[in-house]
Amino acid sequence: MADEAPFQLLHSELIHYIYQSEHGADTDNARNITKLEAMGFRVGQGLMERLTKDTARFKDELDVMKFICKDFWTCVFKKQIDNLRTNHQGIYVLQDNKFRLLGSLSAGKQYLEHAPKFLAFSCGLVRGALCSLGVRSIVTAEAAVMPACKFQVMIQKS
Amino acid sequence: MSRQSNRATDSKKMNSELFTLTYGALVTQLCKDYENDEEVNKQLDKMGYNIGVRLIEDFLARSTIGRCQDFRETADVIAKVAFKMYLGITPSVTNWSPAGDEFSLILENNPLVDFVELPDNHSTLIYSNLLCGVLRGALEMVQMAVDVKFVQDTLRGDNVTEIRMKFIKRIEENLPAGDE
């Protein structure tokens, strides 16, 4: 499948469905976001299992994050993360200046309020991917000016 | 410490796995939300339709394929160009009806069901029904009304997956009066 159009269209159908379905009759935004996130989680988990099948063992947490930023991101979003920052205490901020799934929305601030639903699935993807490498985390995302966005990963120490 | 990656060869495959897994998550959610399989099938078809009406634009822009002369040519384009482009497979076109308005697409392997097994209580679920919707939606945008359905499915124990397409009619464009 040389092409990314099917995935993008499927992704927007997914959002459309979750927000339209009578089962989500609660127009409760938070619950819809949770549903999307949960779907992403499953996908991220499965994808990471396949992706790391033949790779070497990871050295540490930072190594894992680098893998997410490079290989995982390239595989899913066709580019690498533009900037990775950490406070070395379990918080990582991944910045993507041109996030693929926000590409279909007009740039700038006009539709900023709709950004969260376009990011929820991806948050789940990252959390699922980390989880399958044995790293528990909380992932949130925010977009200040589209199509740029930031993912914040908080590692959960057990 | 750069990791040995065989990404170049992998990326195509991974992209299709991303799609397959996402689709799986969607079907799972639908099965949770709806009581019976018919409803799920209907919903999948509807979503496919929505995808199809938009995918056709991408397809026409990318493939630079012009108008098809007849339904046979349409069938060939669907099988050899469209399926190849978006799913990486080339189904064979067979079982033409004598009138030439109905044919089957035989899928030897269906990437959508790569990781799938149907549980017993979902025996009437048409897992890949999205594809029918996509085909219907896309063709409708090029003025063709078609009827699309699965007649065989490997998930349900058949040897191959078979999609049956039937040409219904040409959709005449109804331009509003005085708008030509």
Side-chain angles (χ1 to χ4, degrees):
Chain A
M1 180 148 43
D3 206 65
E4 47 191 272
F7 172 70
Q8 291 203 345
L9 291 174
L10 185 66
H11 179 255
S12 48
E13 267 319 295
L14 217 74
I15 295 168
H16 183 74
Y17 167 71
I18 293 285
Y19 273 79
Q20 297 286 308
S21 66
E22 61 264 46
H23 299 274
D26 44 292
T27 39
D28 185 357
N29 199 21
R31 259 185 74 184
N32 291 337
I33 295 279
T34 309
K35 267 192 198 168
L36 282 170
E37 211 261 0
M39 291 166 95
F41 181 82
R42 277 178 61 108
V43 176
Q45 224 177 0
L47 209 56
M48 201 56 164
E49 265 174 34
R50 313 274 304 167
L51 197 61
T52 51
K53 200 164 39 120
D54 301 315
T55 52
R57 194 173 278 275
F58 293 99
K59 244 178 22 189
D60 51 18
E61 204 176 271
L62 186 64
D63 201 19
V64 170
M65 289 313 294
K66 281 185 184 162
F67 185 80
I68 296 268
C69 292
K70 285 186 186 160
D71 299 66
F72 184 75
W73 221 260
T74 315
C75 154
V76 182
F77 302 115
K78 304 291 154 250
K79 69 190 279 297
Q80 295 188 5
I81 277 286
D82 294 294
N83 191 338
L84 168 67
R85 283 188 216 190
T86 175
N87 67 351
H88 296 288
Q89 282 165 10
I91 293 185
Y92 296 85
V93 177
L94 288 64
Q95 173 151 1
D96 191 331
N97 293 334
K98 196 167 179 296
F99 188 57
R100 181 180 163 206
L101 294 178
L102 290 177
S104 53
L105 274 74
S106 73
K109 302 200 170 200
Q110 188 181 3
Y111 293 108
L112 211 52
E113 58 189 297
H114 294 292
K117 51 181 147 171
F118 285 84
L119 297 172
F121 183 81
S122 310
C123 287
L125 274 182
V126 176
R127 191 167 67 88
L130 284 169
C131 178
S132 82
L133 295 178
V135 179
R136 291 203 308 135
S137 61
I138 296 175
V139 182
T140 53
E142 57 173 312
V145 182
M146 298 208 267
C149 70
K150 276 181 190 163
F151 289 86
Q152 192 183 57
V153 179
M154 268 183 279
I155 307 290
Q156 304 281 284
K157 299 281 181 236
S158 46
Chain B
M1 75 149 251
S2 78
R3 197 167 290 282
Q4 284 294 327
S5 70
N6 33 7
R7 212 167 51 217
T9 51
D10 261 347
S11 84
K12 262 188 188 173
K13 210 176 107 239
M14 290 311 295
N15 199 22
S16 102
E17 284 179 0
L18 171 67
F19 184 80
T20 306
L21 288 168
T22 309
Y23 184 66
L26 167 69
V27 179
T28 314
Q29 182 68 41
L30 288 174
C31 288
K32 256 187 233 162
D33 287 353
Y34 291 99
E35 307 247 309
N36 61 51
D37 291 348
E38 267 83 66
E39 284 294 318
V40 177
N41 296 341
K42 216 187 283 170
Q43 187 66 36
L44 283 172
D45 182 77
K46 200 170 106 193
M47 296 173 87
Y49 177 84
N50 292 341
I51 293 178
V53 297
R54 285 187 259 167
L55 194 63
I56 185 76
E57 286 184 29
D58 183 77
F59 175 75
L60 292 176
R62 218 177 278 266
S63 63
T64 65
I65 279 184
R67 213 167 268 278
C68 291
Q69 295 305 317
D70 55 15
F71 200 45
R72 279 177 190 270
E73 193 183 340
T74 310
D76 271 349
V77 170
I78 291 171
K80 296 198 181 113
V81 189
F83 267 84
K84 179 94 196 123
M85 186 185 284
Y86 294 119
L87 287 176
I89 52 168
T90 311
S92 46
V93 180
T94 53
N95 294 348
W96 278 96
S97 65
D101 64 344
E102 208 177 332
F103 66 92
S104 294
L105 289 166
I106 307 280
L107 286 71
E108 303 254 311
N109 55 5
N110 175 2
L112 287 183
V113 303
D114 270 351
F115 313 112
V116 182
E117 234 174 77
L118 280 190
D120 291 337
N121 56 343
H122 282 295
S123 52
T124 50
L125 177 69
I126 310 173
Y127 184 86
S128 313
N129 211 25
L130 187 93
L131 290 182
C132 294
V134 172
L135 288 166
R136 189 166 59 84
L139 287 178
E140 193 174 305
M141 289 297 112
V142 287
Q143 275 82 47
M144 265 187 268
V146 287
D147 182 57
V148 191
K149 58 177 188 285
F150 274 89
V151 287
Q152 290 193 73
D153 192 341
T154 44
L155 272 188
R156 288 185 289 168
D158 300 314
N159 283 329
V160 289
T161 300
E162 178 180 352
I163 301 175
R164 191 79 180 149
M165 293 185 69
K166 183 176 166 47
F167 180 81
I168 301 173
K169 61 168 188 188
R170 249 188 82 86
I171 303 167
E172 300 297 334
E173 285 194 68
N174 289 325
L175 291 174
D179 206 33
E180 284 185 62

